[in-house]
Short mmCIF file of all heavy atoms in Angstrom, two decimals:
data_model
loop_
_atom_site.label_atom_id
_atom_site.label_comp_id
_atom_site.label_asym_id
_atom_site.label_seq_id
_atom_site.Cartn_x
_atom_site.Cartn_y
_atom_site.Cartn_z
N GLY T 1 6.25 -0.06 2.09
CA GLY T 1 7.57 -0.63 1.89
C GLY T 1 7.72 -2.04 2.41
O GLY T 1 8.68 -2.75 2.04
N GLU T 2 6.79 -2.49 3.24
CA GLU T 2 6.85 -3.86 3.75
C GLU T 2 6.16 -4.80 2.76
O GLU T 2 5.28 -4.40 2.01
CB GLU T 2 6.17 -3.95 5.11
CG GLU T 2 6.84 -3.11 6.19
CD GLU T 2 6.12 -3.22 7.53
OE1 GLU T 2 5.53 -4.29 7.80
OE2 GLU T 2 6.14 -2.23 8.29
N PRO T 3 6.56 -6.08 2.73
CA PRO T 3 5.98 -7.00 1.75
C PRO T 3 4.52 -7.35 2.06
O PRO T 3 4.15 -7.55 3.22
CB PRO T 3 6.86 -8.25 1.88
CG PRO T 3 7.44 -8.18 3.26
CD PRO T 3 7.62 -6.72 3.55
N CYS T 4 3.72 -7.39 1.01
CA CYS T 4 2.35 -7.85 1.14
C CYS T 4 2.38 -9.30 1.60
O CYS T 4 3.14 -10.12 1.07
CB CYS T 4 1.62 -7.74 -0.21
SG CYS T 4 0.00 -8.54 -0.28
N GLU T 5 1.55 -9.64 2.57
CA GLU T 5 1.57 -11.00 3.11
C GLU T 5 0.97 -12.02 2.16
O GLU T 5 1.14 -13.22 2.36
CB GLU T 5 0.86 -11.03 4.46
CG GLU T 5 1.59 -10.22 5.53
CD GLU T 5 1.07 -10.48 6.93
OE1 GLU T 5 0.27 -11.43 7.11
OE2 GLU T 5 1.48 -9.75 7.84
N SER T 6 0.30 -11.54 1.10
CA SER T 6 -0.27 -12.46 0.12
C SER T 6 0.67 -12.75 -1.04
O SER T 6 0.80 -13.90 -1.48
CB SER T 6 -1.59 -11.92 -0.42
OG SER T 6 -2.55 -11.83 0.60
N CYS T 7 1.35 -11.68 -1.55
CA CYS T 7 2.16 -11.86 -2.76
C CYS T 7 3.61 -11.42 -2.61
O CYS T 7 4.43 -11.66 -3.49
CB CYS T 7 1.52 -11.13 -3.93
SG CYS T 7 1.62 -9.32 -3.81
N GLY T 8 3.95 -10.73 -1.53
CA GLY T 8 5.32 -10.30 -1.31
C GLY T 8 5.69 -8.97 -1.91
O GLY T 8 6.79 -8.45 -1.67
N THR T 9 4.80 -8.38 -2.69
CA THR T 9 5.07 -7.07 -3.30
C THR T 9 5.05 -5.99 -2.22
O THR T 9 4.20 -6.02 -1.34
CB THR T 9 3.99 -6.74 -4.35
OG1 THR T 9 3.96 -7.79 -5.32
CG2 THR T 9 4.29 -5.41 -5.04
N PRO T 10 6.00 -5.03 -2.27
CA PRO T 10 6.00 -3.97 -1.25
C PRO T 10 4.69 -3.18 -1.24
O PRO T 10 4.18 -2.80 -2.30
CB PRO T 10 7.18 -3.09 -1.65
CG PRO T 10 8.10 -4.00 -2.40
CD PRO T 10 7.18 -4.93 -3.15
N ILE T 11 4.16 -2.96 -0.06
CA ILE T 11 2.96 -2.13 0.10
C ILE T 11 3.30 -0.69 -0.27
O ILE T 11 4.37 -0.19 0.07
CB ILE T 11 2.44 -2.19 1.56
CG1 ILE T 11 2.00 -3.61 1.93
CG2 ILE T 11 1.31 -1.19 1.80
CD1 ILE T 11 0.76 -4.10 1.22
N ARG T 12 2.39 -0.04 -0.97
CA ARG T 12 2.58 1.35 -1.38
C ARG T 12 1.67 2.29 -0.58
O ARG T 12 0.67 1.87 -0.02
CB ARG T 12 2.30 1.52 -2.87
CG ARG T 12 3.30 0.83 -3.77
CD ARG T 12 3.00 1.12 -5.23
NE ARG T 12 3.92 0.41 -6.10
CZ ARG T 12 3.83 0.42 -7.43
NH1 ARG T 12 2.83 1.09 -8.02
NH2 ARG T 12 4.70 -0.25 -8.16
N ARG T 13 2.05 3.55 -0.59
CA ARG T 13 1.28 4.58 0.10
C ARG T 13 0.88 5.66 -0.89
O ARG T 13 1.67 6.07 -1.75
CB ARG T 13 2.12 5.21 1.22
CG ARG T 13 1.48 6.42 1.90
CD ARG T 13 2.42 7.03 2.94
NE ARG T 13 1.90 8.26 3.51
CZ ARG T 13 2.09 9.47 3.00
NH1 ARG T 13 2.83 9.61 1.89
NH2 ARG T 13 1.56 10.53 3.58
N LEU T 14 -0.35 6.13 -0.78
CA LEU T 14 -0.78 7.32 -1.52
C LEU T 14 -1.63 8.15 -0.58
O LEU T 14 -2.05 7.69 0.47
CB LEU T 14 -1.54 6.95 -2.80
CG LEU T 14 -2.84 6.15 -2.72
CD1 LEU T 14 -4.03 7.07 -2.45
CD2 LEU T 14 -3.08 5.39 -4.01
N VAL T 15 -1.87 9.40 -0.95
CA VAL T 15 -2.65 10.31 -0.12
C VAL T 15 -3.99 10.57 -0.81
O VAL T 15 -4.04 10.96 -1.97
CB VAL T 15 -1.90 11.64 0.12
CG1 VAL T 15 -2.78 12.60 0.93
CG2 VAL T 15 -0.60 11.38 0.86
N GLN T 16 -5.07 10.33 -0.06
CA GLN T 16 -6.41 10.59 -0.55
C GLN T 16 -7.13 11.47 0.45
O GLN T 16 -7.24 11.10 1.63
CB GLN T 16 -7.20 9.28 -0.72
CG GLN T 16 -6.75 8.41 -1.87
CD GLN T 16 -7.60 7.15 -1.94
OE1 GLN T 16 -7.51 6.30 -1.08
NE2 GLN T 16 -8.42 7.05 -2.98
N GLY T 17 -7.59 12.61 0.01
CA GLY T 17 -8.32 13.50 0.90
C GLY T 17 -7.52 13.89 2.13
O GLY T 17 -8.09 14.06 3.21
N GLY T 18 -6.21 14.02 1.98
CA GLY T 18 -5.35 14.42 3.09
C GLY T 18 -5.00 13.29 4.04
O GLY T 18 -4.33 13.52 5.05
N ARG T 19 -5.40 12.05 3.73
CA ARG T 19 -5.11 10.91 4.59
C ARG T 19 -4.25 9.89 3.86
O ARG T 19 -4.39 9.68 2.65
CB ARG T 19 -6.41 10.23 5.05
CG ARG T 19 -7.29 11.10 5.92
CD ARG T 19 -8.63 10.41 6.13
NE ARG T 19 -9.51 11.21 6.96
CZ ARG T 19 -9.71 11.00 8.25
NH1 ARG T 19 -9.08 10.03 8.86
NH2 ARG T 19 -10.54 11.77 8.93
N SER T 20 -3.39 9.23 4.59
CA SER T 20 -2.55 8.19 4.00
C SER T 20 -3.37 6.94 3.73
O SER T 20 -4.16 6.51 4.57
CB SER T 20 -1.40 7.84 4.94
OG SER T 20 -0.50 8.93 5.08
N THR T 21 -3.16 6.38 2.55
CA THR T 21 -3.81 5.13 2.15
C THR T 21 -2.72 4.15 1.76
O THR T 21 -1.74 4.51 1.11
CB THR T 21 -4.75 5.37 0.95
OG1 THR T 21 -5.81 6.22 1.35
CG2 THR T 21 -5.33 4.06 0.45
N TYR T 22 -2.89 2.89 2.13
CA TYR T 22 -1.91 1.86 1.87
C TYR T 22 -2.57 0.74 1.08
O TYR T 22 -3.70 0.35 1.37
CB TYR T 22 -1.32 1.34 3.18
CG TYR T 22 -0.72 2.42 4.05
CD1 TYR T 22 -1.52 3.15 4.93
CD2 TYR T 22 0.62 2.75 3.94
CE1 TYR T 22 -0.97 4.15 5.71
CE2 TYR T 22 1.17 3.76 4.73
CZ TYR T 22 0.36 4.47 5.60
OH TYR T 22 0.90 5.48 6.36
N TYR T 23 -1.83 0.21 0.08
CA TYR T 23 -2.42 -0.81 -0.77
C TYR T 23 -1.30 -1.64 -1.42
O TYR T 23 -0.14 -1.22 -1.47
CB TYR T 23 -3.30 -0.19 -1.84
CG TYR T 23 -2.51 0.59 -2.89
CD1 TYR T 23 -2.21 0.02 -4.13
CD2 TYR T 23 -2.03 1.87 -2.61
CE1 TYR T 23 -1.46 0.73 -5.07
CE2 TYR T 23 -1.29 2.57 -3.56
CZ TYR T 23 -1.00 2.00 -4.75
OH TYR T 23 -0.25 2.68 -5.68
N CYS T 24 -1.68 -2.82 -1.91
CA CYS T 24 -0.77 -3.67 -2.66
C CYS T 24 -1.04 -3.46 -4.15
O CYS T 24 -2.17 -3.68 -4.60
CB CYS T 24 -0.96 -5.13 -2.29
SG CYS T 24 -0.01 -6.26 -3.36
N PRO T 25 -0.03 -3.04 -4.93
CA PRO T 25 -0.27 -2.77 -6.36
C PRO T 25 -0.57 -4.02 -7.18
O PRO T 25 -1.06 -3.91 -8.31
CB PRO T 25 1.05 -2.12 -6.80
CG PRO T 25 2.06 -2.64 -5.85
CD PRO T 25 1.36 -2.78 -4.53
N VAL T 26 -0.31 -5.20 -6.64
CA VAL T 26 -0.61 -6.44 -7.35
C VAL T 26 -1.98 -6.98 -6.93
O VAL T 26 -2.82 -7.29 -7.77
CB VAL T 26 0.49 -7.49 -7.09
CG1 VAL T 26 0.08 -8.84 -7.69
CG2 VAL T 26 1.80 -7.03 -7.69
N CYS T 27 -2.20 -7.09 -5.63
CA CYS T 27 -3.47 -7.65 -5.13
C CYS T 27 -4.64 -6.69 -5.29
O CYS T 27 -5.80 -7.10 -5.32
CB CYS T 27 -3.33 -8.03 -3.66
SG CYS T 27 -2.13 -9.35 -3.34
#
């Protein structure tokens, strides 16, 4: 939910193998 420091797009969260993963959908 916080802005990516490179492009400003909100960081997203998904679950992989039972663990939280965070990524920028643009970068």
Side-chain angles (χ1 to χ4, degrees):
E2 297 180 30
C4 170
E5 294 193 10
S6 296
C7 70
T9 304
I11 296 291
R12 292 183 183 176
R13 173 183 174 272
L14 61 84
V15 177
Q16 289 180 291
R19 296 171 180 260
S20 293
T21 295
Y22 304 86
Y23 69 100
C24 172
V26 173
C27 296

